[in-house]
Amino acid sequence: MAQIIDGKLTSAQIREEIKAEAATLTAKGTQPGLAVIIVGEDPASQIYVRNKEKACDEVGFYSEKYALPAETTEAELTALIEKLNADNKIHGILVQSPLPKHLDEKRIVAQILPCKDVDAFSEENVGKITLGTPRFLPCTPAGIMELLKRYNIETKGKHAVVVGRSNIVGKPMGLLLLGADCTVTTCHSRTVDLAKYTKDADILVAAVGKSKLIKGDMVKEGAVIIDVGMNRDENGKLSGDVDFEQCEPKASYITPVPGGVGPMTITMLLQNTLTSAKEAANK
Ligand code: NDP
């Protein structure tokens, strides 16, 4: 039977630590501040943004939310980002994705000052992560590394298999695991015989977006299984990319969905905003 990695509990512990640091920083005159921009009415994005605002309140951060209409032009969005770039109260800026189709996400993200790009999506910040000298860590992979650390899970020399190669999860996940001395294999939709790789994983990270793709016969006895997937069925019920019932008996550690990786992502966003505020305070 596996030990359940409790992302909710770990996240609450880290938020307490962040809250204490934020209070000290605020007392010295710098309250960490996050600005969140949402364009359009995407219901899932509305929930994410609300959760980010709530999380800021919980740890004593200042926050601003900009809910812009779907017809917002690139020029209007750029003007807002420039205003926030220059605002000393704001240490982190994030533009909630997905953006409406007429807005070029890459060009928009490029407008955010790299020192305020707390999602770590800009070319400069991705480059720094690749070079092993990160300013901020990408939130979801950073949350996973923090879970591994806090559960004392050894990474050195382990074979980590990441299923998924997106820019926000799979690719940076592989880089962080490589930095933690894992031997890393990245799989994707064109991988031939996925199970051949997953069966050899000491640490398996599933970041695909396909409910219960990873079955019990695809994992090794004693594997650490990290499930990033957040898939909703027609009734709105959430499931991961891992078939929990089948995989849990074989795993040594496993993250549940919900309550595993999910709660850590916003916590790491808070951590990055705190890092940015500390840097600003030291300038
Ligand atoms: P993307 O859709 O951007 O990427 C999915 C990846 O999975 C792609 O690299 C794709 O390959 C690969 N893939 C698709 N089908 C298969 C398959 N059958 N076998 C192997 N690989 C496959 O998704 P994201 O990375 O943004 O998100 C992945 C999941 O994680 C989603 O469920 C998302 O909701 C969730 N998520 C959860 C977060 C959290 O905080 N818990 C945060 C972010 C995401 P290819 O590149 O070839 O297309």
Side-chain angles (χ1 to χ4, degrees):
M1 222 172 80
Q3 179 168 351
I4 306 295
I5 297 180
D6 189 337
K8 221 171 148 185
L9 181 72
T10 310
S11 173
Q13 286 163 348
I14 300 173
R15 286 189 196 191
E16 281 304 313
E17 294 161 20
I18 292 172
K19 188 176 175 179
E21 280 203 66
T24 309
L25 206 59
T26 303
K28 289 183 187 159
T30 306
Q31 182 183 21
L34 178 71
V36 182
I37 305 171
I38 176 168
V39 186
E41 304 289 332
D42 181 62
S45 297
Q46 305 272 355
I47 296 172
Y48 293 141
V49 167
R50 211 173 312 130
N51 288 343
K52 285 167 189 172
E53 276 187 290
K54 251 172 65 187
C56 282
D57 284 349
E58 198 187 305
V59 297
F61 285 10
Y62 170 72
S63 73
E64 287 179 1
K65 175 183 154 188
Y66 294 87
L68 307 180
E71 317 75 66
T72 302
T73 63
E74 193 166 319
E76 286 166 334
L77 191 49
T78 301
L80 172 59
I81 292 172
E82 278 169 4
K83 180 177 91 84
L84 295 168
N85 278 341
D87 185 341
N88 291 338
K89 295 194 300 302
I90 298 299
H91 306 100
I93 303 170
L94 80 82
V95 180
Q96 184 65 46
S97 72
L99 284 172
K101 292 220 170 358
H102 68 282
L103 295 169
D104 182 329
E105 196 152 336
K106 218 169 137 197
R107 268 211 310 264
I108 299 292
V109 168
Q111 307 299 323
I112 301 172
L113 272 181
C115 66
K116 296 192 179 189
D117 165 38
V118 284
D119 259 338
F121 288 168
S122 69
E123 288 183 359
E124 181 177 319
N125 284 329
V126 172
K128 287 174 85 60
I129 293 159
T130 310
L131 293 170
T133 54
R135 174 189 278 125
F136 304 121
L137 293 176
C139 298
T140 301
I144 293 169
M145 295 311 290
E146 199 61 39
L147 287 174
L148 296 176
K149 195 167 105 197
R150 291 188 184 233
Y151 277 81
N152 295 315
I153 293 168
E154 179 66 85
T155 51
K156 197 187 291 177
K158 302 294 179 192
H159 183 202
V161 176
V162 180
V163 190
R165 59 173 166 179
S166 71
N167 287 334
I168 64 162
V169 190
K171 257 189 234 167
M173 186 74 250
L175 285 169
L176 298 194
L177 288 164
L178 196 60
D181 293 329
C182 287
T183 300
V184 178
T185 301
T186 302
C187 300
H188 45 79
S189 69
R190 304 302 167 95
T191 297
V192 177
D193 194 1
L194 178 65
K196 179 172 102 183
Y197 301 96
T198 57
K199 267 191 226 166
D200 191 51
D202 300 312
I203 299 172
L204 177 63
V205 181
V208 180
K210 291 209 155 56
S211 180
K212 302 186 183 181
L213 175 76
I214 307 294
K215 302 290 181 197
D217 60 2
M218 293 170 72
V219 301
K220 181 160 100 174
E221 202 68 51
V224 175
I225 302 178
I226 307 290
D227 191 352
V228 185
M230 293 204 317
N231 311 293
R232 284 197 189 272
D233 68 12
E234 56 284 358
N235 304 316
K237 191 168 181 285
L238 200 60
S239 68
D241 290 342
V242 173
D243 189 321
F244 187 89
E245 272 68 41
Q246 291 188 12
C247 293
E248 186 271 337
K250 290 178 88 177
S252 56
Y253 292 87
I254 190 165
T255 60
V257 175
V261 174
M264 294 295 287
T265 298
I266 294 183
T267 300
M268 293 299 109
L269 176 72
L270 298 173
Q271 184 76 63
N272 285 346
T273 306
L274 178 67
T275 302
S276 174
K278 280 196 220 163
E279 287 228 342
N282 286 334
K283 267 187 192 150

